[in-house]
Amino acid sequence: DYINCGNNSALQPAYITVEAWGKPSGDGTVVIHGDCGNVTEGWRLRLTGGNIAFYIYCAGGNSDTSGTGVAYSTPAFQHILCSYNGVTKDVYLNGTQIQSKPFAFGALNYPNPTKSVYIGCVGAGTEDFLSGNIGEVRINNRALTPLEIQKNYLATKWRYR
């Protein structure tokens, strides 16, 4: 199963925090703006090879599509959060910062505003389905602070433990 969240401009922020509670049993896309065929816009949170991947695409063709190297566990629910503030990409797992990576290329790029946001797959339910369960997804139009991230984790973890 997957969800098409549409293409509202609120889902195309310049800076972003994407968080999800998931119980993965394998690889796949957790949430994406756009599709993996057009690697010039938006963002993507994906699980691949037992690791978290957070792909971002900025103006001027600057992108970071490298995996984070941050491993996730199965089969328990995990709180995965990735953020980008125009200067760094940060990855949190269960409320704890695991990685901060410099990437100072400014605002995210959305040359095609008709692209939708999908939860659980890529491209209108055609590929890269996530194996496992997604409990909830949050998309913020800015990079949250470490205190806000910790509060979100603590406020929701009771649902998944």
Side-chain angles (χ1 to χ4, degrees):
D1 292 339
Y2 70 95
I3 299 171
N4 180 343
C5 301
N7 60 4
N8 188 293
S9 63
L11 297 171
Q12 301 171 17
Y15 309 105
I16 194 166
T17 299
V18 179
E19 63 183 298
W21 276 98
K23 185 177 179 182
S25 58
D27 294 348
T29 293
V30 178
V31 61
I32 185 173
H33 174 275
D35 58 63
C36 61
N38 181 356
V39 293
T40 61
E41 66 180 293
W43 45 268
R44 180 181 187 187
L45 172 55
R46 183 174 193 273
L47 304 179
T48 181
N51 292 299
I52 300 165
F54 180 46
Y55 309 145
I56 57 173
Y57 308 97
C58 298
N62 295 301
S63 64
D64 185 354
T65 59
S66 61
T68 64
V70 175
Y72 62 88
S73 299
T74 58
F77 268 99
Q78 304 285 306
H79 181 255
I80 301 167
L81 183 142
C82 298
S83 68
Y84 175 64
N85 63 8
V87 179
T88 59
K89 285 175 43 175
D90 297 316
V91 178
Y92 288 74
L93 187 60
N94 296 325
T96 301
Q97 186 176 25
I98 304 298
Q99 184 180 75
S100 184
K101 180 178 179 181
F103 191 74
F105 288 100
L108 294 170
N109 190 40
Y110 302 96
N112 185 350
T114 64
K115 296 286 185 177
S116 292
V117 169
Y118 295 95
I119 298 173
C121 76
V122 172
T126 59
E127 60 186 289
D128 203 33
F129 290 94
L130 178 69
S131 296
N133 298 310
I134 299 173
E136 63 184 86
V137 171
R138 292 183 188 191
I139 301 168
N140 292 278
N141 63 356
R142 62 185 176 85
L144 297 181
T145 68
L147 182 59
E148 290 171 316
I149 291 166
Q150 185 67 23
K151 283 183 179 179
N152 282 1
Y153 168 69
L154 293 173
T156 56
K157 76 175 188 175
W158 64 271
R159 296 178 189 149
Y160 303 100
R161 300 291 176 186

